[in-house]
Amino acid sequence: MLIAGCGDNDTANSSATTTTARTTTIATAAKATTTTPTPAITTSATAPAGQPVADELETFIRSGFGLTTGQPYSDLIGKPGGTWVGHITSISVDGKTAHVRMDSQTDNALGQSASKSIASLVRLSGTPLAHKLSTIIVEDETGAVLGQTAV
């Protein structure tokens, strides 16, 4: 810091002391000022955002293949037209992407067939579901992608 001026040394020292004190006060005030982040609002009691669409897709597939709400998809294994649908274990939706999980007996060919079939059924259905989904991803039980098709 450079202090220049006319007068005696006491005035210069007094000015330096005042400046130092003011700087210390500002620095102390800056340290004392803290911002507390606003906590995120969480609602653990509510369902995930995609759950209503996932439920709608599950109802759509079940009703299309004649299954009731509690009936397992595996009841369709061995029945005509039930090749891929009988292996579904769960359905979830993230944004506009549906994730359809299949059991351990599902291979890549069956997974690709399932993603194409589900996307086609949804696209051609004429239901609002066709506007709520953009992609169908079929995964094995570990989450590895077996097939992916745009709706």
Side-chain angles (χ1 to χ4, degrees):
M1 175 186 309
L2 177 63
I3 301 176
C6 300
D8 61 280
N9 283 341
D10 290 337
T11 305
N13 286 339
S14 174
S15 177
T17 304
T18 304
T19 303
T20 303
R22 191 175 321 136
T23 303
T24 303
T25 303
I26 293 170
T28 304
K31 286 181 187 176
T33 305
T34 58
T35 56
T36 306
T38 305
I41 298 171
T42 57
T43 54
S44 58
T46 60
Q51 191 60 43
V53 179
D55 292 344
E56 189 177 344
L57 178 58
E58 184 156 4
T59 300
F60 174 77
I61 292 172
R62 285 182 174 283
S63 66
F65 286 90
L67 292 173
T68 61
T69 302
Q71 191 175 5
Y73 287 104
S74 60
D75 283 358
L76 294 174
I77 294 177
K79 295 188 178 180
T83 55
W84 58 265
V85 76
H87 297 279
I88 295 174
T89 58
S90 68
I91 297 173
S92 63
V93 173
D94 182 23
K96 292 186 82 171
T97 302
H99 297 269
V100 179
R101 287 275 173 110
M102 308 287 266
D103 64 24
S104 61
Q105 298 173 12
T106 308
D107 59 13
N108 284 344
L110 190 59
Q112 290 172 3
S113 175
S115 71
K116 288 177 184 176
S117 297
I118 295 169
S120 294
L121 289 170
V122 169
R123 181 176 47 251
L124 298 173
S125 70
T127 65
L129 188 57
H131 299 289
K132 296 176 185 176
L133 297 172
S134 63
T135 307
I136 306 295
I137 297 177
V138 173
E139 306 164 340
D140 68 10
E141 70 278 358
T142 67
V145 175
L146 301 174
Q148 180 174 335
T149 307
V151 175

